[in-house]
Amino acid sequence: GGATSGSDAGGAGGMGSLSPTSLDPADWATLRASAHAVLDASLDKLEAASEGRVWTPVPDDLKEALRAPVPPEDGLAHGELCERLLALLPYGAGNTHPRFFGWVHGSGSPGGVLPELVGAAMNANCGGRDHVGIYVERQVLTWCKEMMGFPASAGGLLVSGTSMATVLALKAARDARLGFDAS
C-alpha cells in the first residue's frame, strides 16, 4: 500500500542510515509519504468506527510478533515498520466505537488526531521554560474553569488520564481533610 512506498532501506525505521549525532532520517520524502499513509489509515479507522464489532481481540500471532527481540541496530526495513504499525489499528480498546460502554475511558476522536500529531512532533514538556505548550495548557485550563463555573483564581492541572486524575484527586481530598496547607 501507500505506507510502504519509497525507499525500503534499513535504518531508523527504514529512512536510510543515520549519522552518530542525529536521529533525523536520511530520506525525509519517504518519511513524509509514510506519515501521510499512516495518517490516512488512522483516519479511515476513525471514519469507519461505527461499523463492525466494538472490540476485536488481539490475535495470538500478533501477540507473538510483539514479543520479538530488539530490532537490528540499523532498524527495520521501512516497509516492514509501516506494515507493523498499520497492523495495530484494528485492535484498540474499542472506545472509538459509538456502542462502547466498557468503562470510563476517553473516546478517540477525529478532532484529537491532529493536535496529538502536532504535540508528538513538538515533544513539549510543560514543566517549565517558555514555549507554546505552556500557553496552550493554560488556555485549556482557563476554558475548563469558565465552562464549569470556577473562579478565575482556581487552579488546574492537565494529566495523562483518569488514573492519574484519580490519584491526584485522592491526594487533594486527603490533604484537605488533614488540614495540610501547601502554600
Side-chain angles (χ1 to χ4, degrees):
T4 60
S5 64
S7 170
D8 209 32
M15 261 48 87
S17 60
L18 302 176
S19 79
T21 60
S22 174
L23 296 176
D24 289 348
D27 183 355
W28 281 97
T30 298
L31 174 62
R32 183 178 305 277
S34 295
H36 285 278
V38 171
L39 176 62
D40 285 343
S42 298
L43 292 174
D44 288 346
K45 183 198 180 321
L46 288 170
E47 184 177 15
S50 63
E51 300 169 10
R53 301 168 57 130
V54 173
W55 174 77
T56 303
V58 180
D60 290 338
D61 61 333
L62 181 55
K63 290 178 189 176
E64 186 60 36
L66 292 170
R67 292 187 199 103
V70 174
E73 189 173 316
D74 63 343
L76 299 172
H78 183 69
E80 182 180 357
L81 174 64
C82 290
E83 286 173 16
R84 287 186 183 193
L85 290 172
L86 295 174
L88 303 175
L89 283 173
Y91 307 107
N95 57 314
T96 58
H97 197 290
R99 291 192 317 263
F100 178 82
F101 294 108
W103 56 90
V104 177
H105 198 288
S107 63
S109 66
V113 172
L114 298 180
E116 286 289 335
L117 179 63
V118 170
M122 291 177 61
N123 194 24
N125 176 333
C126 293
R129 295 165 306 283
D130 185 26
H131 59 87
V132 74
I134 293 167
Y135 298 98
V136 170
E137 183 171 298
R138 287 178 184 162
Q139 187 59 44
V140 167
L141 291 170
T142 297
W143 290 336
C144 289
K145 289 186 285 189
E146 290 174 6
M147 289 186 303
M148 295 179 199
F150 290 136
S153 61
L157 182 64
L158 299 180
V159 295
S160 58
T162 307
S163 296
M164 184 57 69
T166 301
V167 168
L168 291 175
L170 288 171
K171 182 191 181 322
R174 180 199 67 185
D175 290 353
R177 179 74 172 145
L178 295 176
F180 179 73
D181 183 9
S183 56

